[in-house]
Every structure is written in C-alpha cells, then in structure tokens.
C-alpha cells in the first residue's frame, strides 16, 4: 500500500516537472516566434501557444487532471480573457504594465477564439500522448496482441 502511494507521489512530481519544462519551452517558442516572424503568423501562433501555456500550468497545478479537462480548462480561461477584452479593464491595465499586456491583451479579436481552440487541441494531443506513454501504452486504443496458438 505504501509503495503504491510512493509511486503515485513520484508520478505527480514527474508530471509537475514535465509540465514546468513544457511551460518554459512554450514561453521560449512564443518568444522565438515573435523574434523570427511578424503579422498573422506571430499573432495567431502566439494565441495558440498562449492556450498551450495555460494547459501546461493547469497540469502543473493539478498533475492528475485528464488531458481533456486540462485542454478544456485552458480553452475556457483563454476565451474568458478574450471576452474580458470587450471591457476597458485589460486595455487600462495594459497601458500600465507590460506583463498585463502579455497576459490579458487589450483588444477583442474574434479570430483569436479559433486559434485558442487550435492550441487546446494541440495541447490535448501532446498531453494524451504523454499520459499514454507514461502508462506504457495502456488505454492507447491499440489492439492487444493475438493469443499464441496452442501447440
């Protein structure tokens, strides 16, 4: 019994470390995207990466969350932030703080909602693959090997 608890605790630590590393990689990818591209590629790629970052943070906080719930939570927060931009609050905060501008944005843009969905789907795929590989392929949708013929 204690061994199972220890293994579960170790799994949560590994998951949190992986989520933290993923968050750092996503931030680096976002900064890199902004450094090498401009226009729509930078903007909408950044929107998708924003949701992937939120998904990574959800997993960091709740390492046992399912991929679907993590992606749904990240998408919901992304959309809430976007709809918050219909008010003047994010724009006011963005004028005073670079961090607020990066986190909250300033102007509502309907296409952003699509790109948040793209980021949530991509994050869901990666998280699902990571969960399946950690479980050794259990629940991966693969058929079991055929039974050995009796001799």
């Amino acid at each position: 019994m204690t061994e199972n608890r220890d293994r579960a605790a170790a799994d949560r630590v590994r998951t949190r470390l992986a989520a933290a590393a993923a968050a750092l990689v996503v931030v680096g990818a976002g900064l890199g995207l902004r450094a090498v591209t401009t226009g729509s590629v930078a903007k909408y790629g950044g929107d998708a990466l924003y949701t992937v970052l939120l998904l990574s943070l959800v997993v960091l906080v709740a390492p046992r969350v399912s991929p679907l719930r993590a992606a749904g939570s990240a998408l919901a927060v992304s959309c809430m932030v976007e709809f918050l931009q219909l008010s003047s609050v994010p724009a006011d905060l963005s004028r005073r703080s670079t961090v607020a501008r990066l986190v909250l944005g300033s102007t509502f843009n309907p296409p952003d909602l699509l790109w948040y969905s793209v980021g949530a789907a991509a994050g869901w795929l990666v998280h699902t693959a990571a969960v399946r590989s950690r479980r050794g392929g259990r629940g991966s949708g693969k058929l079991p090997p055929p039974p050995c013929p009796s001799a």
Side-chain angles (χ1 to χ4, degrees):
M1 189 69 111
T2 304
E3 184 179 317
N4 286 341
R5 264 189 256 141
D6 291 345
R7 187 174 310 144
D11 284 347
R12 285 191 298 276
V13 169
R14 277 192 295 276
T15 299
R16 282 190 167 114
L17 288 173
L24 291 173
V25 167
V26 171
V27 168
L31 294 172
L33 186 67
R34 289 280 183 170
V36 300
T37 64
T38 59
S40 295
V41 172
K43 167 135 182 49
Y44 296 125
D47 288 343
L49 288 171
Y50 178 80
T51 303
V52 174
L53 174 62
L54 289 175
L55 187 149
S56 299
L57 296 175
V58 167
V59 175
L60 181 66
V61 171
R64 295 174 62 184
V65 68
S66 73
L68 186 59
R69 282 186 190 237
S73 298
L75 179 58
V77 171
S78 297
C79 291
M80 287 189 316
V81 168
E82 191 67 30
F83 282 111
L84 180 65
Q85 292 170 0
L86 290 170
S87 74
S88 63
V89 173
D92 292 342
L93 293 172
S94 293
R95 280 191 289 276
R96 291 186 230 152
S97 166
T98 302
V99 173
R101 184 174 45 81
L102 292 171
V103 173
L104 298 177
S106 61
T107 310
F108 179 77
N109 185 24
D112 290 353
L113 301 170
L114 168 70
W115 291 100
Y116 296 146
S117 298
V118 169
W124 172 78
L125 285 170
V126 171
H127 189 195
T128 298
V131 167
R132 286 182 179 164
S133 72
R134 187 177 68 233
R135 291 180 182 162
R138 288 180 298 168
S140 64
K142 296 179 186 175
L143 294 174
C148 295
S150 11

